[in-house]
Amino acid sequence: MDQGDSQGDSQRDSQAGPRRGHDEHHLGHGRAAAARLADLVVDRSPRGIAATVARMVHTGGLRPGDRLPTVRALAAELAVSPATVGSAWHALSVVGLVSSRGRAGTTVLPSPEDRVPPRYRDLTGGAPGRLDLSTGTPDPELLPELGPALARVSARMPAAETASYVAPSLVPELEHLLRGTWPFPPQRLTVVDGAVDALARTLDVTCGFGDRVAVEDPGFPPLFDLLDQLGLERVPVTLDAHGMVPDSLGAALAAGASAVVLQPRAHNPTGVSLTPTRARELAAAVRAAPQPVWVLEDDHSGQISSARDVSLGALLPDRVVHVRSYSKSHGPDLRIAAVGGPATVLDALVARRLLGPGWTSRLLQRVLADLLTDGPAVDAVEHARRVYHGRQRALTQALAHHGLELVPGDGVNLWVPVADEQRALVRLGAAGIRVARGRPFAATGQEGGGHLRVTVSALRQDVDAVARALALAAAP
């Protein structure tokens, strides 16, 4: 674009002013769209045209997938050169608002928030506050230090291993440690990039499009998003203080569910954990199912959990895939979860993964193996487990003092019943406290209301004040 063209456009615009009478929320496409967009442009420079389109995107006048007018059509309507409009479209493309595909046209892109799966996006409610208890993440101050482990591993790690595409995908030292602590003898073990990655890869191997999967209700929202994306149908199973209710699981299996996904301890969001007796009852329900059933166990809290490591794999070793994450105990950015179970599933999982990422960084695997055996790191994780346990008890005791009786759970989350979910979020927001809304945790997909998830890992102080705010928010 030449300077004279830009100045001329600006002068004509300042004389004419904006034209009115059109609805900016229905742009449409073609020449009519060009005319409607031209009516809204005040500044006919590239910057002004781009700003008008950006404003429409941010206010909903243009939606993801909407097609913008052609460069020549809009240039004709604005009486500017095509280069002027082209520069505006280029500026919008650079900042990620639109995508230009040649003759296919220029279309509005989804915002980064729109690309996040819906239940992930809906977990938090209200504006950011002084205290964020919504995340479900560990306290960074309680994670073991990675620096010393990285230094030790880098000093002794074989150079050939970091340069190899064909070395074993699971470092032998880590496999030895995993087998020594696994809740049942697995035929195969491997590691992947976090618990959700493990669930996704296992479901991909064990289920086909349209299959039914029994899930906990309430349950983990990203799992529900994952099942939706895989084309799998959720079958909700109710919970009590010991996990899935056997009769409810039996009904789900009778309805055709061919897989079960459950959290054996520190259930997110309720904090409940399986007892050995409940595990036997659930295993009996699986055996009685009219079809073969796979059981996927998501032990996401691992070593920071205070409950026993109970698994149906001790009773159904050929049908259970157990996942143990190290994100909450050793750091989310390690991106390591171990997966153990039948060879038929694990061999297929490893083979498919070789055609994608291949393996989880052996450097990070050795760092984890070091952290699992280093004295100070072991002590740090044990200290974190005790602290989380104490924060659960401290908050539930303070809530009881303010008239809200709850049974403390395990892990980093507390499931708080409320009379009205939205009103409770507003009340807590006014107190500067942010929590996770209960609705995304409902496996039925219906408006559940009635609960909030509170992450106790971030509750280092002001426990009584937080309990008072929670009790007031929960009240009718």
Side-chain angles (χ1 to χ4, degrees):
M1 180 195 73
D2 63 48
Q3 187 174 5
D5 184 44
S6 175
Q7 291 175 345
D9 294 341
S10 298
Q11 289 171 356
R12 285 190 296 270
D13 179 69
S14 63
Q15 295 167 357
R19 291 170 285 177
R20 305 297 181 188
H22 294 279
D23 182 359
E24 83 175 78
H25 292 283
H26 299 281
L27 185 63
H29 54 83
R31 288 189 175 180
R36 283 191 286 272
L37 180 55
D39 280 352
L40 301 169
V41 174
V42 175
D43 177 359
R44 300 183 187 185
S45 69
R47 177 180 295 180
I49 298 169
T52 300
V53 174
R55 178 173 57 83
M56 295 179 69
V57 170
H58 294 318
T59 59
L62 285 169
R63 300 176 180 86
D66 282 354
R67 186 170 174 177
L68 298 181
T70 65
V71 168
R72 291 192 178 277
L74 185 58
E77 289 291 333
L78 292 172
V80 299
S81 72
T84 299
V85 178
S87 296
W89 272 203
H90 176 71
L92 292 166
S93 177
V94 167
V95 297
L97 288 179
V98 304
S99 173
S100 295
R101 298 176 294 169
R103 292 185 178 180
T106 300
T107 56
V108 178
L109 288 171
S111 69
E113 293 77 12
D114 291 337
R115 291 192 287 269
V116 176
R119 292 177 187 83
Y120 258 121
R121 190 168 60 244
D122 198 32
L123 274 177
T124 57
R130 61 177 176 82
L131 182 60
D132 190 349
L133 306 179
S134 71
T135 62
T137 56
D139 184 343
E141 294 183 4
L142 297 177
L143 296 172
E145 294 185 32
L146 295 182
L150 285 166
R152 289 189 294 267
V153 168
S154 64
R156 62 174 183 257
M157 185 173 179
E161 191 171 84
T162 61
S164 175
Y165 287 95
V166 296
S169 59
L170 178 57
V171 170
E173 292 88 337
L174 182 56
E175 180 174 7
H176 175 74
L177 292 169
L178 293 174
R179 287 192 177 276
T181 58
W182 213 248
F184 62 93
Q187 292 179 346
R188 295 284 194 275
L189 278 168
T190 192
V191 292
V192 296
D193 302 333
V196 176
D197 184 44
L199 294 175
R201 295 183 180 280
T202 305
L203 288 166
D204 193 48
V205 170
T206 57
C207 297
F209 189 90
D211 283 355
R212 292 181 169 182
V213 179
V215 297
E216 297 154 324
D217 186 21
F220 187 44
L223 170 65
F224 303 155
D225 285 331
L226 174 62
L227 294 175
D228 290 347
Q229 292 198 8
L230 292 175
L232 301 173
E233 181 182 344
R234 300 189 303 275
V235 184
V237 178
T238 57
L239 301 180
D240 64 14
H242 306 296
M244 278 187 167
V245 174
D247 288 346
S248 183
L249 175 60
L253 298 178
S258 60
V260 182
V261 182
L262 61 85
Q263 303 169 63
R265 55 181 174 172
H267 175 266
N268 186 356
T270 67
V272 304
S273 299
L274 286 178
T275 62
T277 299
R278 179 54 56 85
R280 288 192 293 271
E281 294 169 344
L282 297 179
V286 171
R287 290 193 193 97
Q291 69 283 336
V293 176
W294 292 106
V295 179
L296 284 63
E297 296 179 336
D298 176 16
D299 186 20
H300 52 81
S301 288
Q303 292 187 322
I304 60 137
S305 175
S306 298
R308 294 175 58 181
D309 193 1
V310 174
S311 170
L312 274 67
L315 305 163
L316 303 168
D318 296 331
R319 308 302 302 173
V320 175
V321 177
H322 188 78
V323 176
R324 179 190 293 163
S325 172
Y326 291 90
S327 292
K328 288 186 175 63
S329 58
H330 293 79
D333 204 46
L334 279 176
R335 307 309 305 137
I336 292 183
V339 190
T344 53
V345 175
L346 270 294
D347 288 348
L349 186 156
V350 171
R352 175 63 185 88
R353 198 163 183 254
L354 287 173
L355 301 177
W359 66 92
T360 296
S361 165
R362 300 183 189 98
L363 172 64
L364 294 180
Q365 290 186 50
R366 289 189 177 275
V367 168
L368 177 59
D370 181 278
L371 294 171
L372 292 174
T373 55
D374 175 66
V378 171
D379 291 342
V381 173
E382 176 62 20
H383 173 67
R385 184 193 64 78
R386 292 193 300 268
V387 170
Y388 294 142
H389 181 84
R391 289 177 183 175
Q392 281 268 8
R393 269 71 192 158
L395 182 55
T396 53
Q397 289 170 8
L399 286 169
H401 178 73
H402 292 285
L404 184 56
E405 297 279 352
L406 295 179
V407 176
D410 189 18
V412 301
N413 297 308
L414 187 65
W415 192 231
V416 180
V418 296
D420 184 287
E421 187 175 299
Q422 186 57 39
R423 184 177 294 116
L425 290 169
V426 171
R427 289 174 175 174
L428 288 171
I433 299 172
R434 191 176 191 181
V435 297
R437 64 176 72 246
R439 182 180 60 195
F441 297 89
T444 59
Q446 299 174 351
E447 292 282 342
H451 282 89
L452 302 174
R453 190 195 67 178
V454 180
T455 301
V456 303
S457 60
L459 192 55
R460 305 187 186 105
Q461 56 189 2
D462 297 332
V463 175
D464 189 70
V466 170
R468 184 186 307 110
L470 283 170
L472 290 172

